[in-house]
Each structure stands twice: as structure tokens, then as C-alpha cells.
Amino acid sequence: MAYLIRNARLITAADDATGDLLIEGEQIAAVGRNLPERIGPQLRPEILDADGLWAMPGGIDVHTHLELYSWDTVSADDFYTGQVAALFGGTTAHIDFANQARGQTLREALDAWHARAEGKAIIDYGFHVSITDPTDAVLHEMGQLPAWGVSSVKLFLAYKGVYQLSDGDFFRVCRRAAELGLLPIVHAETGDVIDILVREAIAAGHTEPIWHARTRPPECEAEATHRAIRLAEMAGAPIYIVHLTQREALQAVAHAQQRGTRAFAETCIQYLYWTIDDLARPDFEGAKFVCSPPFRTRDDSAALWRGLADGTLAVVATDHCPFNFATQKTLGRERFDKIPNGVPAIEDRLLLLFSDGVMQERLTPSQFVALTATNPAKLFGLYPRKGALAPGSDADVVLWDPTVRHVRSARTHHMNVDYNLWEGVEVQGKPVKVFSRGRLLVDGDDFRGEPGTGRYLYRGRSAAFAASSR
Ligand SMILES: [Zn+2]
């Protein structure tokens, strides 16, 4: 198929101008003003009048957990339902996490996650590999990751006894990653302290959801963020902090950037909205807001918005990891530490960030594209194949109506979960057509995707390695 999109407001991380976009097959063939209908000996394109619409690179969500078995249950979206929801929210690619279990090889972990996506995926996806058991053999095996299309490794300073690495192991893995051109990405909270606080809270009979946040104080994130950055510096590696939530952690990243360290950070859309008070909602409703790190304060959210605007934060992701309120969050009704950690957001990310970021003039349209598509593509080795509107790039394109108002609700969202964090919230702007590799998969309310047509993304080296010190 070929499509000629006429008179769209074409928005990229660098430019914002009205023009045409020609899609031929899976790629963008041309971008410009008054494009002829044919560039080469191709099919006559279907003409789409995009007057009043914005055309942007499809969103890339670099932090998702589809079909994740954890907390004695499984996250509610699999690679089919989660990707349908992603598409309706304007996201056309994502990177999930293949978690190494203790004793497992990295290849075994990766194979297990490939099996989950196989036959289900609609859009393109990649994997970070989480290294939880860095034996000498595993450090050696890391050398295979680039050939397997993996250019980032996830490391944990939290979840003691499960995923958490010692400082020494963290340092060893970062040093090996630097050698191989792999970007270390880190969950930064002080696991040892959290472990003690959780046990003490339970022993004292504190079982309600609010204690999830009270036992993971902001100091833990500030401390571990600073420590992760310093350990990576000593290892000669760049570093990417996932789901950053609060002021002091943000300052640690800013300070690192000022002294020339290649430190990058993402926040997730939900941290711009919710606070610790939401975990105190009555009738166990607070459990809907349990995720790690926990929600903080209004001041922290305001700091994150500033960090997005001033460039300290490079990416807005989701950490999408949905659990049904009625049947899964209730596993922790008797004690907060059994509540499955995670929230649904894969469909909401662009909608909320556009409405409250771009429409409220906190972010320019180009910043919006940079944060949701272009920076993720660059940092995770997908640029300019993804995250760009340029000839030769994959035709992952969103046609967006910036005027339409609609209300977020679990009754109408596409995520396979029984609640929406933004239930009843009105937003402005939504995708009206979503293309993935040239295929029109979302057309208004219609969905045209076929399971099994999404492709695994062999990712190249992160631009974090090219970034010069400032
Ligand atoms: Zn996560």
C-alpha cells in the first residue's frame, strides 16, 4: 500500500512545518511540500487530507512488562492486548524486559520472552535483558547480546533477594557493558533499607496500601540514583535511570550531566499526576496506585515537569504492568507487600502528555516528539529507523487530531485491565490514524492489526555512547 498524507503539520524532534508525507510499502518515501503522487514506479497512493491534523513519529515506549509472571500472578496484558492498547494510544513500538532468573543463561531468558511475543505481536518490539545473576559465565555471555539485537541491560539496586545486585556486581556488569557498548539501565532504590522497613511495618501490623509508599521513602531513590551514577562513572559506562520520580534523584542526574557524565533518565507518565495521598484512598482503592518507586508529592511532580522541559529528563515511558483491581491487586488485601506492583499506562502515555504537556504549553510539540519517540529511539539503538519522519525510516506514523476532547475510562480503553488511573479525566487530542511500518492499523475506532505481524527489533548501539560530555 501507499499513502500520501497531504497538508499535515509535520512534527519531529527538530522541525514543525506543514507539508506532505508519502508512505510506500513499509517506509516513508518522501517528506516535503506539494509532493507529486509518484516518486518512483510505485502504486498510486491513497490520498489522505490531513488539514488540521498533526503527523508525528509513532510513540516508542521503552519500558513495558507484557505477560510478566510475578507476584504469584501475571500482568494482565499480553503481547496482543497490550499492543492493541499501545496503538490506540499512538505508540507503535516498545521495548520489554527479558528477566534472567538465577541460574539461567541470558539466552534462556531471551528465548522465554521471544516465545511470549511470537504469534501475538502486531507492532515492532525489542527486549532489554535484566541481569540478576552476573556469574563469570554470564559476563562472558554478555558479549553475544549485540548480535542478538540487545543493546541495553537492566540492573536492579532494589528487590533484595530477588533481582538486586551488590555494588560490586553492579560495577562489574557496568564495566563489561562499557566494553561491549551496551547501555546499563537501572532501577535505583536502596533495596537493603526497603527490605528492613517493609519487615518492620508488617511486624507492627501496618498492612494498608499506603505503607507501600511509606516503606520506600524518597531518600532511597535519591541515594541509589546517586550511587548508580557514581558506580557507572567508575566503570566508564553511560547510565540510564528508569522511572525517576522525585526531586533529589533528578538533581543527582542534573549534577552528573553538569560534570560531563553520560547520565540519562526517564520518568513515567503516571509520576506526573499521582501522589502518595492516592495510596490512602479508602476501600483498598489505594492498591490501584501501588507501583515501584511509589508516587511522591505534588512538588516532585512539578519538578519532573520542569525536568522534561529543561532536558534533564530524556524520556517519558510507562513501566506498563497492569493488574486487575478485582482479582489481582486483592492478593495484597491482607498485607501491602503482597499487592502486585504495577499500573496500566501504555495507552494513556501520549494522550496525557499531549493534553497536559503540549496543550498546556509546558512542552513544545517538538519536545513532545523528542520525549516520546526520538530520544527513546536514539538511546536504545533504533534511530533513524524509528523515531523520525524521514525518507527511509519505517512508516510508523501517527496522524493526530489536536482538537478532539475525550474522557479516559476503563469502559472504553483497550488495555485488558479493569481500571484506568485517569478514570473520568478529560483530555484533548488523540490519534485518528496510526500506521506501523506502512500498515494502517488504527483508523478512527477501527482496529485492523493481525496478531503475529509485529517484528522483533534488532537494536544497534545506544547514542549514549556517542554523547559527548557537556
Ligand atoms: Zn519496570
Side-chain angles (χ1 to χ4, degrees):
M1 282 295 292
Y3 298 92
L4 178 55
I5 298 169
R6 287 271 193 222
N7 294 315
R9 185 168 166 188
L10 301 170
I11 299 171
T12 67
D15 295 302
D16 180 348
T18 299
D20 303 344
L21 184 83
L22 180 65
I23 296 171
E24 285 181 348
E26 297 194 346
Q27 269 90 41
I28 294 170
V31 184
R33 292 180 78 84
N34 304 314
L35 289 180
E37 286 185 25
R38 290 177 202 223
I39 303 291
Q42 303 291 336
L43 295 168
R44 183 168 287 273
E46 183 178 325
I47 310 251
L48 303 174
D49 176 15
D51 206 17
L53 302 179
W54 297 17
M56 301 183 279
I60 301 172
D61 191 342
V62 296
H63 193 157
T64 64
H65 299 283
L66 302 179
E67 198 180 329
L68 175 66
Y69 294 85
S70 65
W71 308 95
D72 297 322
T73 185
V74 58
S75 62
D77 270 317
D78 65 12
F79 277 77
Y80 180 75
T81 64
Q83 293 193 355
V84 171
L87 277 163
F88 275 99
T91 289
T92 53
H94 69 109
I95 308 179
D96 213 275
F97 293 81
N99 299 331
Q100 179 203 21
R102 282 183 193 270
Q104 223 179 18
T105 66
L106 303 181
R107 184 66 244 179
E108 286 167 341
L110 208 45
D111 286 345
W113 260 266
H114 275 296
R116 293 175 197 186
E118 203 122 312
K120 289 185 179 167
I122 311 152
I123 58 174
D124 298 346
Y125 58 93
F127 294 117
H128 312 282
V129 167
S130 304
I131 299 181
T132 63
D133 190 9
T135 60
D136 287 346
V138 166
L139 286 179
H140 179 74
E141 192 191 14
M142 283 173 68
Q144 298 291 316
L145 291 176
W148 295 338
V150 175
S151 56
S152 44
V153 289
K154 170 84 174 284
L155 310 175
F156 292 86
L157 295 176
Y159 301 117
K160 187 176 170 68
V162 187
Y163 297 136
Q164 186 178 325
L165 298 184
S166 68
D167 288 358
D169 281 343
F170 185 91
F171 172 76
R172 286 167 67 239
V173 176
C174 284
R175 200 167 52 181
R176 177 75 171 136
E179 209 172 275
L180 296 166
L182 299 166
L183 177 64
I185 73 177
V186 58
H187 179 139
E189 288 185 291
T190 318
D192 284 19
V193 171
I194 290 166
D195 184 59
I196 292 167
L197 297 180
V198 168
R199 281 192 277 121
E200 287 176 352
I202 295 294
H206 300 308
T207 60
E208 305 82 13
I210 184 73
W211 286 91
H212 171 74
R214 289 183 183 156
T215 54
R216 308 183 81 96
E219 290 83 354
C220 282
E221 186 180 341
E223 184 281 322
T225 301
H226 175 77
R227 178 160 43 102
I229 291 170
R230 286 301 198 182
L231 290 169
E233 279 176 342
M234 288 186 269
I239 187 83
Y240 177 94
I241 314 291
V242 299
H243 51 43
L244 188 145
T245 75
Q246 59 90 235
R247 273 174 307 177
E248 287 80 8
L250 185 66
Q251 280 165 10
V253 171
H255 288 158
Q257 291 171 347
Q258 282 155 16
R259 66 178 178 265
T261 293
R262 296 165 298 178
F264 304 87
E266 86 185 10
T267 191
C268 298
I269 187 70
Q270 58 272 22
Y271 294 110
L272 300 168
Y273 290 86
W274 310 110
T275 70
I276 187 168
D277 296 338
D278 291 296
L279 280 88
R281 291 195 193 192
D283 302 324
F284 195 61
E285 286 249 348
K288 292 178 179 176
F289 296 84
V290 167
C291 56
S292 295
F295 294 126
R296 308 294 189 188
T297 67
R298 288 258 156 265
D299 282 353
D300 289 304
S301 298
L304 295 177
W305 277 111
R306 286 195 298 275
L308 295 175
D310 70 21
T312 309
L313 294 169
V315 172
V316 177
T318 63
D319 200 4
H320 177 76
C321 193
F323 296 101
N324 285 293
F325 178 61
T327 54
Q328 295 183 295
K329 288 287 189 179
T330 45
L331 291 168
R333 202 177 256 291
E334 304 306 319
R335 47 186 280 186
F336 70 90
D337 63 329
K338 304 286 187 196
I339 300 171
N341 282 205
V343 298
I346 200 168
E347 185 172 353
D348 300 296
R349 178 179 67 127
L350 300 193
L351 300 171
L352 272 297
L353 194 70
F354 183 85
S355 191
D356 288 319
V358 180
M359 289 292 109
Q360 298 299 318
E361 299 186 346
R362 289 173 164 123
L363 302 173
T364 66
S366 286
Q367 284 178 317
F368 172 79
V369 170
L371 290 164
T372 57
T374 308
N375 293 347
K378 289 179 175 173
L379 286 168
F380 292 99
L382 294 171
Y383 190 83
R385 178 171 160 200
K386 307 282 190 193
L389 296 181
S393 291
D394 282 354
D396 288 12
V397 179
V398 177
L399 272 186
W400 189 279
D401 183 341
T403 61
V404 60
R405 294 188 152 276
H406 56 116
V407 173
R408 302 303 300 147
S409 173
R411 288 189 302 280
T412 50
H413 74 199
H414 299 81
M415 299 179 286
N416 186 36
V417 64
D418 64 359
Y419 74 99
N420 187 296
L421 283 181
W422 290 271
E423 186 69 37
V425 172
E426 189 184 67
V427 293
Q428 182 178 344
K430 74 186 288 191
V432 289
K433 285 186 169 40
V434 182
F435 299 86
S436 159
R437 271 188 287 106
R439 305 164 299 159
L440 178 56
L441 298 188
V442 168
D443 190 2
D445 293 330
D446 292 341
F447 180 70
R448 303 174 174 188
E450 289 291 332
T453 57
R455 286 191 199 142
Y456 174 66
L457 291 165
Y458 283 84
R459 298 184 290 120
R461 183 186 281 242
S462 167
F465 285 90
S468 61
S469 311
R470 4 177 201 174

